[in-house]
Each structure stands twice: as C-alpha cells, then as structure tokens.
Amino acid sequence: MHVVPLGGLGEIGKNMTAVHQRSGMLLVDAGMAFPDEEMPGIDLVLPDFTYLREHAERLRGILLTHGHEDHVGAIPYLLREFRTPVYGTRLTLGLVESKLEEFGIRNADLREVSAGEKFSFGGFNVEFINVNHSIPGAVAVALRTSAGLFVFSGDYKVDLTPIEGEPIDLGRLAALGEEGVLAYFGDSTNSERPGYVPSERIVGETLNEVFRSVQGRIIVASFASHIHRIQQVVEAAKQHDRLVAVTGRSMVRNVQIARELGYLDLPDAMMVDQRDIGRIPDQDLVVLTTGSQGEPLAALSRIASGTHRTIEVGPDDAVVIAAHPIPGNERGVSRTINNLMRRGARVFYSPLRPVHVSGHAAQEEQKLMLSLLKPRYLVPVHGEFRHLMHHAFTARALGIPEERIFVLENGARLEFRSNGEARRIENVPSGMFVVDGGGLADTSGAVMRERQQLAEEGMFIVIARIDSQTGALVGEPDVISRGFVDPQAANGLVEGSIEVVSRTLRRTASRKITDWGQLKNEIRRDLTSFLAERTNKRPMILPLIVEV
C-alpha cells in the first residue's frame, strides 16, 4: 500500500494526498495555493495531476477535511477530468458546490457526511472525527486500509470553548490510539509556536472593544471562508446596533452560503446592499470585506488606495485586519496598512491586538494529539519545510524514534507492508499546474523565467528593415524600450543601441546572411552584451525583421 503526498509539503497550500492500495485509490483533500512574487501573471497554483491521470481508473473518491481553499480549491479542476464522488461535511460541500457552479459543473457526485460517521467503499473503511478549526464542519479522517489504520488530522487546533459546535473529539482520538494507529499525517503549520493557540472567543472580546471605541465606520477584512470570524463580527454588530454590509465577490458568496445552510446568524434586517453603503451613517455601519492578505485587486486594497467604487475611509474610521499574513504576503499586507493609515484610518491588526487567532495547533496541542494517537509512524504535513522539521522535533521530544518520522517532499512515496513496516520508494511526478486567466497555463521553467525577466529587467524591441536579396540594412533601425529605462534619462542608451544593431546588420550583410533566425540571434547577442555592460541588466530583447 502506498501513500503519496502530491501537495502541501514544503509549502503553504495545495494540500492533496493519495492513498493507494490494491482495491483502489482515495484522495484526502484537493487544494490550491496562491502564487508568489516569482509567478507574475499567475492567478492560482494547483497540484500536479499526472499521478492521478496515470491511475485514473483506480480513483474511488475524494475525502475533504474542511472548506478552506487550500484544501478544496482544486476540486473544480479535478472534476473536469475525473468523475469521482466527493465526501465532505455540509458547509464544506456547500462551498464546493458554489465553486462548481462558477465552472458550469452541475452533475458532480457530492456526498454529505457528518463527524462521527463511518462507512466503507472501495476497499477502505472511512471515519470522520470532529476537530476545531477556523471554519465549521472541520474533521479529521481515519482510514482503515489493507496495511493498517491511518489518521489524517486535516487543519485542527484544540479549542475547548469553541464559538460554534462541539470541542475536538479527544475521546475518539484516544480510542483510535488504543486501537493502534499505523501512521499519522499531522498538521504542521504552527509547529514553531510553543504552548497552546487561544480560543476563538478572545477575538470576540477584542472586536467588542473596537466597536465600543470607534465612532465612525468599521471595516473588517477576513478570509471569506472564515465563517467563525464573520459570525463574531455580526455578533459585535448586534450588540452595538450596527448594520452589516458585505463587499468582495468571495465574501458575498460565502456569507450567502453560510446563511442559507444555517452556519451564520445574520438577519435580513441587519444587511445593507453595497450600493446603499453611502446612505448609512458611518457610526451605524460595519463592512465585511476581503483583502486581508493584501491582494492588489481585493476590496480592502482598493479601499486603501482610494479606488473602491463605493467605500472611502477617513480619520473617524477603523479597519480590522482579522487574519495573519500567509508567508509571502507580508509585503502586500504592510502596503495596505500603510495606505489605510495615510488616509487617517485607525488600523487594528495582529500581533498589536488579538484580532486573530490561528486555526492551527501549536506545540503543546501537537504533543496532546501525538500522545492520544500513539502512532507508529509520523508524517508531518501542511507546511513549509521548517514547519515539518519542527513538528518532527516535537515528536522526537515525546520519544518517537527518528527512523519512524518521515519528513517528505511532494511526490515522495511511502510504502506500507502487511507487517507494519514502512519505507520510502521512488518518487512520482509532483510539480504544479498554474491557472492563468481561468485556464491551465504552461508551467515550464522557461515560461516562468521569461515572465520573471520581463518583470525585473523589462523589454527591448528592435525593428530592422533589410533588403530581401542582400540582407543589407534599409534605413535606421527602431528601438523601443518598455519597463527598462526612462527614455528621458537613458544617457544615449537608445542611440547607442541603434548603432550596435546597425553595426551588427552591416556585418551580417557583408557575409550575405539573410536567414531571419540567424539575424535575430546576432542582434540579440550583440545588444545583450552592450546593455549588460552599460546598465548591468539583461532585458528581454525581441528583434523584428521586416524584408523590403
């Protein structure tokens, strides 16, 4: 039997793990990630589906632990290729169904499950266990397989006073530990943090303090899928007699879904249409919005830059950024905070104020989980490499031998034998797909390098007219610079480039060279050397040859 993490290791996001035995294959989660600064023009990043395509006839289903994008965001792309049932709790499937509608997928086989439910299919015995996270309906998954019992934590923390639902089912986890857990695949996102993660209730107390102290409009930015946080904002609005407006496409959609499914208590009488925001006195309004990660096109970024169609902020207003920056987003979040403060707004953000608590277990909670489950093997998942390593350090402190801890990368394959032994075998393909403008784009290194070069170095376009018979230059070449240097401050760079190209084409004409490909290569080589020497930069050079 094989377990193959296809995403979520050495990175934040695109969590997806394949569990493969003779009877078939299951997926645990199918998430996406957001692009980093080295992926200009990319909208989303998805796990590589190559391994799934190679074993498509064996895929029996997808088990979802909760409804956050980093665990369900790849579902629409998967279901366009693979017909397979998807299992999840009520809110998780509600969020997935909304995404599928956007993609025009209306015949998906979505099967609702509940925490505590057990069933068998495809040769697997599946059990869902209630856990706490920052969204309702989060579960861990226990799989009884031909090799033994596996537990996938999903994203979790130990919250004994949750604002919604029941506390994490520690009793059931302990019972699984007594049964005998062969391997535990545990959330590592917060493994560097000592102690315990505070309860969500702390955020509610902070929000009430903010609502009491602010006389003007209050804007709260959060993840659109953080239904617990949204409910806390609504409860504070009720206590302080404020109406609620919702802006940002994903926030509007998720609030609607959560209300319809009964996970969000927001009466119609409290809601304000986006178009009517300007008609409500500032002291009577709170606005829920997207953009907590500093995304340039999100509603909060547009509010901060003064380009939002209906919302402006001023000195009497307050903005609450109720989320920690995902690694890589710190610069965008900082830019947004600075822009809001320039407009006079008060900004409340973590760690200055407890306006956010993590949904991921810290070290003491990880120790509790490991002590209850008592796994023979630990596989840290869901995090950058440093997070995986710190989870391993914690496990070793509890006495788990180093040889029974597998710190893996995406595509690593663990083989479990009937005698309970595990070992690494050859890797499987595990790159990534990128979504560019709604479709899957070329993920080759060449394309990404070209985009990065354009972003960092700019472009030089050379237009040269040559005699079709002799290859001789006809007139002076045109040189156009984009994103490279300011023509007004080029210090003769454009003129020098024209002379370099003219000299190159005189040389090629003397050698009777008329082949376009060779001419472009000669221009590109000479001009690259000239520009590198003068500017220490290497812009993309695009020669255009026109025969006359």
Side-chain angles (χ1 to χ4, degrees):
M1 204 207 85
H2 299 157
V3 179
V4 187
L6 297 170
L9 273 62
E11 61 188 353
I12 300 295
K14 68 182 183 70
N15 300 288
M16 185 167 77
T17 302
V19 183
H20 201 163
Q21 63 182 15
R22 285 192 180 92
S23 64
M25 179 172 63
L26 291 181
L27 286 183
V28 179
D29 289 326
M32 48 139 285
F34 291 104
D36 57 30
E37 294 179 349
E38 296 180 359
M39 297 181 181
I42 299 303
D43 300 319
L44 303 174
V45 184
L46 306 176
D48 190 340
F49 297 163
T50 301
Y51 181 75
L52 304 183
R53 294 189 182 110
E54 292 172 350
H55 303 280
E57 75 285 353
R58 301 183 59 77
L59 183 58
R60 301 291 182 257
I62 304 172
L63 310 176
L64 301 179
T65 60
H66 64 283
H68 282 158
E69 292 282 0
D70 58 332
H71 290 256
V72 305
I75 291 290
Y77 301 92
L78 271 173
L79 295 187
R80 289 199 299 199
E81 290 194 48
F82 309 98
R83 290 188 59 84
T84 192
V86 179
Y87 298 83
T89 57
R90 190 170 183 229
L91 179 60
T92 300
L93 292 188
L95 296 172
V96 167
E97 189 171 16
S98 175
K99 295 175 67 67
L100 296 179
E101 288 175 1
E102 291 185 20
F103 282 75
I105 301 174
R106 296 180 175 84
N107 58 349
D109 185 1
L110 304 181
R111 304 185 185 184
E112 184 178 323
V113 298
S114 301
E117 188 170 343
K118 303 177 184 178
F119 57 93
S120 298
F121 74 103
F124 296 89
N125 182 277
V126 183
E127 179 179 356
F128 293 91
I129 301 106
N130 182 67
V131 299
N132 304 129
H133 189 40
S134 53
I135 186 172
V139 290
V141 175
L143 282 182
R144 293 170 179 83
T145 73
S146 58
L149 174 60
F150 294 81
V151 175
F152 295 81
S153 72
D155 288 351
Y156 80 98
K157 67 177 180 179
V158 178
D159 191 345
L160 300 180
T161 57
I163 64 171
E164 182 273 339
E166 297 295 322
I168 183 172
D169 195 345
L170 298 177
R172 185 57 194 152
L173 292 167
L176 293 173
E178 292 301 317
E179 179 181 337
V181 175
L182 178 58
Y184 168 52
F185 296 77
D187 178 13
S188 306
T189 306
N190 237 0
S191 60
E192 295 174 310
R193 179 173 177 173
Y196 296 86
V197 172
S199 171
E200 285 282 337
R201 293 188 181 274
I202 290 178
V203 176
E205 296 168 4
T206 303
L207 287 173
N208 274 314
E209 293 176 10
V210 171
F211 274 64
R212 277 194 296 268
S213 65
V214 174
Q215 300 303 313
R217 183 184 295 167
I218 299 174
I219 299 171
V220 180
S222 171
F223 288 112
S225 56
H226 201 330
I227 306 302
H228 286 160
R229 189 64 37 76
I230 295 170
Q231 183 65 65
Q232 288 174 310
V233 174
V234 171
E235 292 303 318
K238 290 178 182 178
Q239 289 189 33
H240 297 274
D241 297 319
R242 286 182 181 252
L243 301 175
V244 178
V246 183
T247 184
R249 188 170 63 92
S250 59
M251 182 69 77
V252 170
R253 180 190 66 204
N254 287 2
V255 165
Q256 179 183 350
I257 293 169
R259 293 179 70 215
E260 291 173 353
L261 296 179
Y263 288 98
L264 183 60
D265 181 16
L266 177 55
D268 289 339
M270 288 184 64
M271 295 199 68
V272 175
D273 190 279
Q274 293 185 58
R275 293 167 293 187
D276 297 328
I277 286 176
R279 303 176 186 175
I280 306 298
D282 289 352
Q283 67 271 18
D284 296 332
L285 185 66
V286 57
V287 180
L288 280 164
T289 185
T290 55
S292 64
Q293 297 302 301
E295 307 96 313
L297 299 180
L300 185 63
S301 295
R302 289 185 280 119
I303 293 170
S305 63
T307 58
H308 196 280
R309 288 181 297 176
T310 57
I311 302 174
E312 295 182 10
V313 293
D316 293 328
D317 300 329
V319 178
V320 178
I321 300 180
H324 284 316
I326 294 172
N329 292 347
E330 294 88 353
R331 184 181 300 178
V333 174
S334 178
R335 180 177 59 247
T336 299
I337 293 172
N338 288 332
N339 287 340
L340 289 167
M341 287 186 166
R342 284 191 182 98
R343 295 181 177 277
R346 295 171 62 189
V347 185
F348 299 87
Y349 57 94
S350 182
L352 299 184
R353 296 291 294 272
V355 292
H356 173 74
V357 296
S358 175
H360 301 272
Q363 289 175 4
E364 294 303 314
E365 295 157 278
Q366 291 176 343
K367 290 178 183 177
L368 176 60
M369 183 70 87
L370 289 166
S371 298
L372 292 175
L373 293 175
K374 296 178 285 191
R376 180 176 176 85
Y377 297 100
L378 167 68
V379 183
V381 295
H382 306 173
E384 297 179 0
F385 189 79
R386 59 194 174 99
H387 303 135
L388 308 183
M389 287 301 300
H390 278 279
H391 199 170
F393 297 155
T394 297
R396 286 163 57 185
L398 289 179
I400 298 179
E402 185 175 358
E403 63 270 18
R404 292 187 181 176
I405 303 172
F406 291 97
V407 178
L408 306 175
E409 69 280 352
N410 293 334
R413 181 157 48 164
L414 279 181
E415 180 183 74
F416 293 89
R417 299 183 177 183
S418 57
N419 62 1
E421 294 302 314
R423 62 173 184 144
R424 286 191 59 173
I425 58 176
E426 70 278 2
N427 290 6
V428 306
S430 62
M432 63 181 179
F433 292 155
V434 295
V435 179
D436 185 358
L440 295 179
D442 190 340
T443 61
S444 69
V447 171
M448 289 297 108
R449 284 194 300 272
E450 286 178 356
R451 291 191 178 197
Q452 193 68 23
Q453 184 181 10
L454 285 170
E456 295 179 354
E457 308 283 4
M459 172 185 282
F460 239 65
I461 302 173
V462 177
I463 305 173
R465 291 163 290 275
I466 64 170
D467 187 291
S468 59
Q469 301 300 317
T470 66
L473 182 64
V474 179
E476 188 176 78
D478 294 319
V479 173
I480 303 170
S481 169
R482 289 291 181 266
F484 178 56
V485 292
D486 182 352
Q488 302 302 319
N491 295 325
L493 196 62
V494 173
E495 292 78 4
S497 299
I498 291 173
E499 176 55 34
V500 168
V501 174
S502 299
R503 189 165 57 246
T504 299
L505 291 177
R506 286 196 294 269
R507 185 182 69 243
T508 56
S510 69
R511 294 159 51 192
K512 307 287 193 234
I513 297 175
T514 59
D515 178 74
W516 283 20
Q518 189 171 351
L519 292 173
K520 290 179 179 180
N521 286 337
E522 297 275 349
I523 292 172
R524 194 177 289 115
R525 185 192 63 196
D526 291 352
L527 194 52
T528 296
S529 298
F530 170 74
L531 294 174
E533 183 179 340
R534 289 284 298 273
T535 68
N536 203 29
K537 289 188 175 183
R538 295 180 176 271
M540 180 174 289
I541 296 173
L542 182 62
L544 301 176
I545 305 297
V546 180
E547 287 188 342
V548 295

